[in-house]
Amino acid sequence: MDRNAFSYLIKHELMRRKPTRVCRKWVSIYAAIVSIAIICAYAFLHVQIAFKPEALLFIIYVFPYFAFMQAYMMVGKEFKEGTHGWWLTLPYSRGVLLRSKYVAALIRIIQYGLLAFAATWVITILIQMVQGNLSVDSLFRFTIMESKTYLAMFVLVPFMIGFGLFGSILRVTQWRPLLPLVWVIYGLSANALSWIPAVVLNDDGNSFFTFMQMPITQAEGLLFVAFLALSFLFGGVFLWAAVKLMNRQLIQ
């Protein structure tokens, strides 16, 4: 297949729609809420100097499940908006159509991840400035911890994107009675992931934070690459299964 055509499909998935008046209204409302929250947080930090920036890292738990929903909705919107007929009649194989959505979802999650990483880092600097404990050493240790946390959680993203595409295609095939099982697995995986800190930590968490603040070793780097490869492998298996379902069982 022509690489330019594949790139076009990916860019088409990533195109942002012009926000409507209702959308702009809600953006303004949420911006006001965030501004109030920042003011309250600033006042709180002056009174209660016990807030730890490490708590901000818990947002990373959202990304694997957000990746699932991102991929799930990329296919779902074609059927919801009635564009699936046009999408399915494009002069490309259905494998190419799904792979473009996979890559687009991966790019989107990476973009959101980098934005969240930068926002968390900046907020941490502001918190430490307010608390009066900002230093190069503390910022360096937090950056290492933040990097390790994001890398550890993003290992799951390639798998969850493939799983999300599979679930979305399953919904429009003759095998859709199995869709509740997908949601059960989705929910149980979230509960299983929430137990990781309890399994890893055997004390008040100080040893865990000390470990996370240490620079990434070569062994940890190799382990990350290995798990990332497995994540892509299993995500690819679900992507392959989704293509097979599209080719044989799709209800148009």
Side-chain angles (χ1 to χ4, degrees), residues 191-244:
N191 291 331
L193 193 60
S194 67
W195 282 96
I196 289 178
V199 173
V200 174
L201 303 179
N202 54 10
D203 54 11
D204 59 357
N206 290 329
S207 62
F208 176 73
F209 285 124
T210 301
F211 167 76
M212 292 296 288
Q213 290 171 354
M214 296 173 61
I216 300 175
T217 63
Q218 183 178 4
E220 291 173 347
L222 292 175
L223 192 63
F224 167 76
V225 172
F227 277 113
L228 185 63
L230 286 175
S231 182
F232 272 109
L233 175 62
F234 287 112
V237 169
F238 275 108
L239 180 60
W240 171 83
V243 173
K244 291 298 182 182

Side-chain angles (χ1 to χ4, degrees), residues 13-24:
E13 294 295 336
L14 294 174
M15 281 193 307
R16 295 179 180 274
R17 296 185 176 184
K18 186 176 180 181
T20 62
R21 181 179 300 178
V22 175
C23 181
R24 289 194 295 267

Side-chain angles (χ1 to χ4, degrees), residues 11 48 84-85 97 110 116 138 166 181 196 211 221 225-226 245 250:
K11 290 178 181 178
Q48 186 71 23
H84 61 283
L97 295 177
I110 291 175
S138 64
F166 173 78
L181 181 61
I196 289 178
F211 167 76
V225 172
L245 284 175
L250 190 65

